[in-house]
């Protein structure tokens, strides 16, 4: 099996997108009291934390922040792939909040569906938005689309994968991996 | 994650430390889930679980049932007293009849040691041992160790645990010994010589027949009930004498480590193996054990359902 990869985003572009996300949050929300950011375990946490920090730098407001694991709400438990849960850390009620879910990649939409179910057990938010670094526009399996996206790509399901390589906050590369069939 | 994927949970013996750590970390997440306003998940909505109890049970049965319901599984309950077992049906026939109704998992308590092991070789479904005679009670040992681990901030290494009482007839004692040793704790068993199995030292535990000495040595005391229903002869002269020599009361607590952790798998016989004031004291984590039991059983069911244990 041979692999090749193409660079989708370099660290400078990821930094720009993070700043853009922060500006969009500021632009779209009149008040920040009821706004909370939830990073999806495991790979949405770093991006969510960076966006929260950018918002704080821009307007001096610390948004409520949490880490959400949706494993127990997946629709494929016992269907082959193994899912090990990670901790959720949400120390506030989501009742009446504007929640922004942040993940690295949106593909089939099933993780986001599970995440919405997971959020609802902490209360009934007034609104849930979705922010992703990379949107894969084909092969969506549920009617879910992002409110904020870094880039959109038309990757195929069978032999392509998007990998977000988060070494540290200043060194993030996003790759498109092409995996030939065996 | 272990590569040794288990299809059943028949006992602690055979589990690795990594598998126990995985159960514990999963149970941590379920404990968190159980604190949220909505305590249910649909994770096992495709799964049907049969709870087969061929022996009486309150805590374990309710705990498993709650765990299954909170995971969204469909459940059927079965007790031997109200079933065709009393009409002479064999265990394999009973279980196969239930399985033909498309049951995915079986939680079984049975008076015969090795019953769940036997069943696992003859039926095609996942089996969780909820206690087999005097052999093992793996989920009780897991919840006991999980409760200790949470109390001691994730580290049981070097902790000294004394298990007191009817070791001979206790499946909790054997499973606890295996589990605690795997996690690095030192284990001592204490009780009347007649209630300590002859070869128990081969498991690597210390043995004492003096409760006061044992308590002075220990960080944790796990008090066991006298299993009258399994005793075919008299092992000690009287309950009163047993309670005098092996009952944990406030008088004894004066001479031990003030931080001694008190545990009991239940049901408690107050005034026999433990006095009411000790059972309800701040040293006791007996009710936390029960709470943790649901999280541990949710973790075991969840991991077994995706064959990831």
């Amino acid at each position: 099996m041979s692999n090749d990869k193409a660079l989708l985003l370099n660290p400078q572009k990821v930094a720009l997108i993070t700043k853009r996300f922060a500006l969009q949050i500021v632009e779209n929300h009149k008040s920040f009291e009821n706004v909370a950011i939830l990073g999806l375990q495991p790979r949405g946490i770093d991006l969510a934390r960076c966006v929260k920090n950018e918002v704080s730098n821009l307007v001096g407001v610390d948004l409520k922040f949490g880490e959400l694991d949706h494993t127990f709400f997946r629709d494929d438990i016992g269907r082959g792939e193994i899912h090990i849960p990670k901790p959720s850390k949400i120390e506030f009620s989501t009742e009446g909040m504007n929640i922004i879910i942040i993940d690295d990649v949106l593909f089939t939409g099933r993780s986001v569906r599970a995440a919405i179910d997971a959020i609802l057990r902490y209360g009934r938010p007034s609104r849930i938005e979705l922010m992703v670094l990379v949107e894969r526009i084909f092969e969506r399996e549920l009617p879910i689309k992002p409110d904020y996206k870094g880039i959109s790509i038309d990757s195929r399901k069978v032999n392509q994968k998007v990998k977000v390589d988060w070494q540290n906050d200043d060194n993030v590369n996003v790759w498109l991996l092409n995996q030939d069939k065996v | 994650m272990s590569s040794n994927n288990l299809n059943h949970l028949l006992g602690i013996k055979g589990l690795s430390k990594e598998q126990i750590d995985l159960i514990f970390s999963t149970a941590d997440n379920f404990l968190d889930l159980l604190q949220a306003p909505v305590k249910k998940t649909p994770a096992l909505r495709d799964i049907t679980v049969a709870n087969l109890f061929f022996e009486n049970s309150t805590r374990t049965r309710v705990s498993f049932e709650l765990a299954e319901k909170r995971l969204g599984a469909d459940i059927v309950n079965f007790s031997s007293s109200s079933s065709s077992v009393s009409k002479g049906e064999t265990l394999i026939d009973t279980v196969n009849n239930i399985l033909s109704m498309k049951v995915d998992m079986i939680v079984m308590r049975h008076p015969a040691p090795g019953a769940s092991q036997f069943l696992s070789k003859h039926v095609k479904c996942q089996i969780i041992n909820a206690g087999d005679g005097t052999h093992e009670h793996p989920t009780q040992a897991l919840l006991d160790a999980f409760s200790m681990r949470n109390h001691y901030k994730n580290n049981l290494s070097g902790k000294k645990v004394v298990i007191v009482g009817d070791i001979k007839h206790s499946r909790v004692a054997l499973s606890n010994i295996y589990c605690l040793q795997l996690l690095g704790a030192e284990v001592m068993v204490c009780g009347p010589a007649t209630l300590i199995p002859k070869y128990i030292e081969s498991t690597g535990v210390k043995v004492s027949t003096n409760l006061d000495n044992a308590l002075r040595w220990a960080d944790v005391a796990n008090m066991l009930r006298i299993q009258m229903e399994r005793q075919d002869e008299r092992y000690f002269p009287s309950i009163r004498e047993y309670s005098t020599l092996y009952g944990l009361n406030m008088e004894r607590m004066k001479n031990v480590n003030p931080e001694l952790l008190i545990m009991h798998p239940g049901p408690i016989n107050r005034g026999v193996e433990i006095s009411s004031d000790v059972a309800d004291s701040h040293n006791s984590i007996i009710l936390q054990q029960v709470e943790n039991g649901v999280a541990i059983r949710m973790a075991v069911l969840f991991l077994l359902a995706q064959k990831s244990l």
Side-chain angles (χ1 to χ4, degrees):
Chain A
M1 187 170 162
S2 67
N3 288 311
D4 65 87
K5 59 183 185 179
L7 186 64
L8 295 174
L9 294 172
N10 61 24
Q12 289 75 26
K13 283 186 179 170
V14 172
L16 276 174
I17 289 169
T18 309
K19 283 192 173 65
R20 167 156 60 83
F21 282 161
L23 286 165
Q24 286 177 310
I25 289 175
V26 173
E27 185 182 16
N28 289 355
H29 298 86
K30 289 174 187 162
S31 146
F32 300 111
E33 272 179 28
N34 283 333
V35 179
I37 284 178
L38 290 183
L40 286 199
Q41 286 277 23
R43 287 179 293 273
I45 304 294
D46 288 328
L47 176 62
R49 185 175 34 75
C50 287
V51 171
K52 175 191 180 295
N53 291 342
E54 285 293 344
V55 172
S56 176
N57 292 340
L58 267 177
V59 290
V61 173
D62 270 334
L63 296 182
K64 289 191 174 69
F65 180 79
E67 299 177 5
L68 181 72
D69 183 74
H70 61 273
T71 307
F72 299 139
F73 296 85
R74 296 186 65 95
D75 57 10
D76 58 351
I77 299 298
R79 289 171 185 249
E81 202 177 333
I82 290 170
H83 304 284
I84 303 299
K86 299 261 189 314
S88 286
K89 290 179 196 160
I90 300 177
E91 289 165 355
F92 51 87
S93 167
T94 56
E95 187 75 30
M97 301 285 287
N98 287 337
I99 302 289
I100 304 166
I101 303 174
I102 300 186
D103 205 359
D104 60 346
V105 180
L106 172 64
F107 186 26
T108 63
R110 288 183 186 267
S111 293
V112 175
R113 199 282 310 152
I116 292 170
D117 270 357
I119 290 170
L120 293 179
R121 72 190 172 92
Y122 292 94
R124 183 177 182 272
S126 68
R127 187 176 172 198
I128 298 177
E129 296 175 298
L130 175 62
M131 175 181 283
V132 295
L133 191 57
V134 179
E135 180 199 20
R136 299 178 66 175
I137 57 176
F138 293 124
E139 310 289 352
R140 190 86 70 253
E141 294 170 3
L142 296 172
I144 285 172
K145 62 174 185 164
D147 300 282
Y148 311 91
K149 62 188 176 190
I151 54 168
S152 294
I153 60 165
D154 56 352
S155 63
R156 302 289 171 182
K157 185 174 190 177
V158 181
N159 60 349
Q160 290 187 314
K161 189 180 176 191
V162 174
K163 180 176 170 53
V164 178
D165 184 15
W166 201 288
Q167 296 288 332
N168 59 57
D169 293 349
D170 298 322
N171 186 11
V172 184
N173 289 291
V174 181
W175 300 90
L176 179 64
L177 307 181
N178 292 299
Q179 299 168 326
D180 292 343
K181 287 180 200 171
V182 179
Chain B
M1 191 184 354
S2 167
S3 57
N4 179 26
N5 292 352
L6 286 184
N7 208 20
H8 314 284
L9 180 65
L10 304 176
I12 297 294
K13 197 164 193 180
L15 285 185
S16 65
K17 183 177 183 301
E18 289 70 32
Q19 285 169 318
I20 291 176
D21 286 341
L22 175 62
I23 293 171
F24 285 0
S25 63
T26 307
D28 281 335
N29 293 312
F30 280 119
L31 263 190
D32 172 59
L33 184 94
L34 293 173
Q35 306 303 321
V38 180
K39 297 173 176 58
K40 285 194 74 162
T41 88
L44 299 195
R45 66 188 138 204
D46 293 346
I47 305 282
T48 304
V49 186
N51 298 314
L52 311 186
F53 280 74
F54 295 89
E55 245 187 11
N56 293 336
S57 168
T58 307
R59 232 164 316 272
T60 306
R61 186 173 171 157
V62 170
S63 181
F64 265 113
E65 205 172 320
L66 261 180
E68 292 151 5
K69 284 181 172 170
R70 288 188 169 151
L71 286 168
D74 289 321
I75 61 173
V76 284
N77 288 318
F78 164 100
S79 66
S80 56
S81 57
S82 58
S83 75
S84 292
V85 172
S86 56
K87 299 176 189 170
E89 191 172 57
T90 68
L91 177 61
I92 292 176
D93 282 342
T94 299
V95 173
N96 272 329
N97 273 284
I98 290 169
L99 290 182
S100 65
M101 295 181 242
K102 307 299 176 208
V103 167
D104 305 287
M105 248 188 224
I106 281 183
V107 174
M108 185 172 80
R109 169 167 288 189
H110 199 281
S116 47
Q117 178 87 32
F118 169 78
L119 198 62
S120 71
K121 291 180 178 164
H122 291 91
V123 300
K124 286 179 183 166
C125 89
Q126 295 181 291
I127 293 169
I128 299 174
N129 180 6
D132 58 337
T134 57
H135 180 221
E136 279 226 46
H137 191 349
T139 55
Q140 180 68 45
L142 288 168
L143 78 88
D144 287 347
F146 181 68
S147 304
M148 289 181 218
R149 163 219 186 241
N150 288 0
H151 184 84
Y152 290 117
K153 301 189 172 30
N154 295 346
N155 189 10
L156 284 187
S157 185
K159 292 293 172 204
K160 294 171 178 171
V161 182
V162 61
I163 303 170
V164 183
D166 185 355
I167 311 298
K168 188 181 180 79
H169 300 99
S170 171
R171 51 193 170 214
V172 174
L174 196 58
S175 287
N176 260 275
I177 289 168
Y178 293 145
C179 189
L180 291 168
Q181 287 181 335
L182 212 52
L183 297 173
E186 285 184 64
V187 184
M188 177 187 283
V189 295
C190 176
T194 49
L195 287 176
I196 292 182
K198 202 172 177 183
Y199 301 109
I200 195 76
E201 280 162 309
S202 67
T203 61
V205 300
K206 298 179 194 307
V207 176
S208 172
T209 53
N210 184 309
L211 180 60
D212 293 305
N213 290 344
L215 291 175
R216 274 194 287 273
W217 171 85
D219 300 306
V220 183
N222 197 353
M223 308 303 294
L224 303 182
R225 176 179 67 93
I226 299 293
Q227 310 237 339
M228 290 298 188
E229 71 277 19
R230 296 190 207 285
Q231 295 184 6
D232 47 7
E233 56 187 284
R234 295 191 68 157
Y235 289 89
F236 48 86
S238 69
I239 290 285
R240 187 171 169 184
E241 182 178 312
Y242 178 85
S243 182
T244 306
L245 292 174
Y246 295 101
L248 184 53
N249 52 38
M250 274 302 177
E251 197 55 39
R252 282 209 156 91
M253 289 292 285
K254 287 178 187 168
N255 301 314
V256 302
N257 172 6
E259 300 302 315
L260 180 74
L261 200 63
I262 309 293
M263 303 179 66
H264 195 302
I268 300 175
N269 286 322
R270 288 175 183 257
V272 181
E273 70 272 11
I274 189 167
S275 65
S276 275
D277 44 7
V278 174
D280 301 331
S281 69
H282 75 275
N283 295 61
S284 161
I285 56 164
I286 294 171
L287 290 178
Q288 277 109 298
Q289 287 176 262
V290 180
E291 184 182 345
N292 290 338
V294 178
I296 280 287
R297 287 171 178 124
M298 287 174 84
V300 167
L301 288 158
F302 177 79
L303 292 169
L304 276 183
Q306 47 176 348
K307 298 185 177 64
S308 57
L309 194 54

